[in-house]
């Protein structure tokens, strides 16, 4: 027979509208059903980078984590503006060269809307280690219990670490003094770390602290008597040549 429909209150989920209906025929029999009205979504998703390498990094790999404001979105990335490619989060870039890089990522929702303002991150890859040079140091044999050092680095803003003899490594500066040295052999090793975290090969210098006064032996003795007295000549040497005197 002819049906009469009694509409119910619609439930709206995003842009798809579902309207439940309960039609009745003339005999009073109910035949529940529903109709769907499909809509469109023209709002693009927003993309956010939640994890990225620091602005100056020493690694040739970089991991990114990113999210979308809409669930079930897919992603594209663009490295250094060479073109868009598919990706997912997290995503790792490998074999990066030294220099500046820019990573862009955009989300695409299930309706095909693409984020027109991609999230992006810029950073610098630096894998070059600093080279340290000792520009001032004590002589090979010294008679002082202190020793002054000067260092230079191939990179600006280098952080130095020093190791005196077998003591633990300690932070030091480009101008460093070792004090309270005991007599004997000593060594100072220095290395540098740049802003990217690269640690250079250490440089070492050795020297001898000699605090013992020289001993003298008479190599020859010639005495000449004159009216004014004797004249005696002799010679001696410091075996370590540290410059110590009696």
């Amino acid at each position: 027979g002819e049906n009469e429909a009694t509409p119910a209150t619609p439930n709206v989920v995003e842009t798809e509208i579902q309207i439940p209906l309960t039609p009745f025929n003339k005999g009073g029999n109910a035949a529940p059903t529903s109709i769907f009205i499909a809509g469109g979504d023209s709002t693009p998703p927003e993309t956010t980078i939640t994890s990225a390498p620091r602005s100056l990094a020493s690694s040739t790999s970089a991991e990114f984590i990113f999210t979308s404001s809409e669930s079930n979105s897919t992603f594209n990335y663009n490295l250094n503006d060479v073109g868009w490619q598919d990706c997912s989060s997290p995503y790792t870039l490998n074999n990066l060269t030294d220099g500046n890089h820019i990573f862009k990522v955009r989300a695409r929702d299930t309706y095909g809307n693409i984020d027109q303002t991609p999230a992006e991150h810029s950073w610098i890859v630096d894998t070059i280690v600093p080279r340290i040079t000792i520009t001032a140091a004590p002589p090979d044999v010294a008679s002082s219990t202190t020793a002054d050092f000067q260092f230079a680095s191939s990179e600006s803003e280098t952080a130095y670490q020093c190791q005196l003899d077998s003591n633990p490594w300690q932070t030091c500066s480009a101008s460093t003094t070792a004090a309270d040295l005991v007599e004997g052999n000593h060594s100072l090793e220095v290395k540098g770390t740049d802003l990217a975290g690269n640690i250079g090969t250490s440089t070492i210098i050795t020297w001898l602290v000699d605090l013992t006064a020289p001993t003298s032996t008479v190599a020859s003795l010639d005495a000449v008597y004159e009216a004014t007295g004797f004249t005696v000549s002799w010679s001696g040497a410091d075996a370590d040549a540290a410059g110590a005197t009696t």
Side-chain angles (χ1 to χ4, degrees):
E2 184 179 352
N3 292 331
E4 295 177 358
T6 303
T9 303
N11 294 323
V12 180
V13 180
E14 288 191 74
T15 57
E16 185 178 79
I17 303 175
Q18 180 180 358
I19 303 178
L21 299 175
T22 307
F24 296 88
N25 59 23
K26 290 184 177 182
N29 298 312
T33 186
S34 60
I35 63 172
F36 294 88
I37 301 176
D41 175 9
S42 61
T43 303
E46 290 293 330
T47 314
T48 304
I49 297 175
T50 58
S51 179
R54 59 192 188 125
S55 59
L56 183 60
S58 61
S59 176
T60 58
S61 298
E63 183 183 70
F64 292 86
I65 299 176
F66 36 87
T67 61
S68 171
S69 60
E70 297 187 28
S71 60
N72 300 320
S73 293
T74 57
F75 298 93
N76 304 125
Y77 82 94
N78 191 334
L79 177 64
N80 301 329
D81 293 325
V82 298
W84 293 96
Q85 301 182 56
D86 292 338
C87 65
S88 59
S89 180
Y91 190 77
T92 300
L93 300 168
N94 295 304
N95 303 318
L96 297 168
T97 58
D98 276 36
N100 295 282
H101 296 279
I102 181 169
F103 176 86
K104 299 178 182 179
V105 61
R106 65 189 183 186
R108 178 188 180 103
D109 66 17
T110 55
Y111 291 96
N113 299 303
I114 299 175
D115 186 356
Q116 299 301 308
T117 56
E120 61 180 60
H121 177 77
S122 299
W123 79 107
I124 299 173
V125 174
D126 173 17
T127 62
I128 300 174
V129 300
R131 299 185 305 276
I132 306 302
T133 304
I134 299 176
T135 58
D140 293 341
V141 181
S143 60
S144 175
T145 57
T146 62
D148 296 321
F149 299 89
Q150 297 283 339
F151 314 128
S153 173
S154 60
E155 298 187 28
S156 60
E157 299 187 59
T158 297
Y160 296 96
Q161 283 189 305
C162 296
Q163 183 183 45
L164 177 64
D165 299 329
S166 58
N167 295 308
W169 286 91
Q170 295 184 346
T171 300
C172 58
S173 64
S175 179
T176 297
T177 298
D180 301 322
L181 299 170
V182 297
E183 189 169 30
N185 292 292
H186 293 279
S187 66
L188 183 83
E189 193 169 1
V190 59
K191 61 184 177 182
T193 304
D194 65 15
L195 292 176
N198 298 300
I199 302 175
T201 303
S202 61
T203 301
I204 191 169
I205 188 171
T206 60
W207 77 104
L208 173 67
V209 173
D210 177 16
L211 305 177
T212 303
T215 57
S216 300
T217 58
V218 177
S220 62
L221 179 63
D222 297 320
V224 178
Y225 175 75
E226 296 179 359
T228 58
F230 285 94
T231 298
V232 178
S233 62
W234 58 277
S235 63
D238 180 3
D240 293 326
T245 59
T246 58

